[in-house]
């Protein structure tokens, strides 16, 4: 009948933290072995355990009460193996009445943390503490979680600007698949130079970088770079690429090869014999 045996404490008293183990001492707790060597079913692995900071200092004896201590008999009359002289003991102890058990209470939640993303869906959290009041003298901890999370900034992110140079491309054969392009025109060029199919492009899915082509000088109010080839006689002195004045792109042009220290994209038109094989649009690497 060991299935109906309990060691108990009165209702209304805080849980003293007593735990039973049939598999050895509980790690991190202070435990006392409850042994009965005369019992052939005793395996030596039964313990009563308490939190490491418990004020209780229990002692066990399987041969009667311990002198000088207050003892409680553990009796099981249905067990013939001498379970009639086993005692759990402790010195007489009474908690100071002034040390009334205080149950823990939650503080107010803190402010929500900064959202983990500015757009596209993020999360934020807030915390509270079990210190209003903190549990004392065996009082119970607060129930519930000490942290909450919620979704934030769920609006889709606007497309980002294309990075230089990997998201840009020159084309002398029309608009490539997967790209959006600015046409590069010079009507003064002979038709067989094919400048009506040339484009400077950026990958689809990005924001429009604001590139605009002009065959009639700079566009007022924008920042522009001259696209020149002095060896070409067909009015290449008034062609410009322009960008909004506040654009982060700072383009440079060179008609005699790449510019050292910059990332450059070649503008090549093999149908034009006027040295359109060494022209480059350049800028420092820029990632968005």
């Amino acid at each position: 009948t060991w299935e109906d045996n309990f060691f108990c404490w009165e209702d209304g008293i805080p849980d003293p933290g007593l735990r039973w183990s049939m598999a050895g001492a509980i790690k991190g707790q202070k435990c006392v072995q409850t042994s009965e060597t005369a019992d052939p079913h005793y395996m030596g692995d039964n313990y009563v355990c308490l939190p490491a900071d418990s004020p209780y200092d229990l002692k066990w004896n399987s041969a009667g009460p311990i002198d000088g201590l207050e003892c409680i008999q553990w009796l099981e009359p249905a067990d013939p193996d001498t379970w009639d002289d086993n005692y759990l003991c402790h010195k007489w102890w009474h908690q100071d009445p002034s040390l009334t058990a205080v149950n823990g209470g939650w503080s107010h939640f803190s402010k929500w943390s900064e959202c983990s993303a500015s757009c596209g869906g993020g999360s934020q959290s807030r915390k509270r503490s079990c210190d209003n009041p903190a549990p004392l003298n065996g009082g119970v901890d607060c129930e519930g979680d000490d942290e909450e999370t919620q979704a934030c900034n769920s609006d889709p992110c606007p497309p980002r600007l294309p990075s230089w140079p990997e998201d840009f491309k020159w084309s002398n054969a029309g608009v490539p698949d997967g790209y959006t392009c600015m046409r590069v025109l010079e009507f003064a060029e002979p038709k067989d130079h094919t400048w009506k199919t040339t484009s400077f492009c950026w990958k689809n899915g990005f924001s429009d970088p604001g590139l605009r082509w002009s065959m009639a000088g700079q566009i007022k109010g924008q920042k522009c770079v001259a696209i020149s080839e002095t060896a070409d006689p067909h009015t290449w002195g008034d062609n410009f690429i322009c960008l909004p004045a506040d654009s982060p792109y700072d383009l440079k042009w060179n008609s005699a090869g790449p510019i050292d220290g910059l990332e450059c994209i070649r503008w090549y038109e093999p149908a034009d014999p006027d040295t359109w094989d060494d022209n480059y649009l350049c800028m420092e690497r820029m990632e968005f």
Side-chain angles (χ1 to χ4, degrees), residues 65-83:
I66 301 174
D67 290 341
L69 299 182
E70 300 290 331
C71 299
I72 298 174
Q73 185 181 21
W74 283 33
L75 176 65
E76 178 44 75
D79 192 326
D81 297 305
T82 74
W83 275 92

Side-chain angles (χ1 to χ4, degrees), residues 30 45 58 83 93 98 124 137 158 185 203 254 278 283:
K30 58 180 182 180
D45 54 359
L58 300 175
W83 275 92
W93 183 79
S98 66
Q124 58 187 168
N137 306 323
L185 302 170
K203 290 179 181 177
N254 194 29
D278 58 354
M283 195 179 82

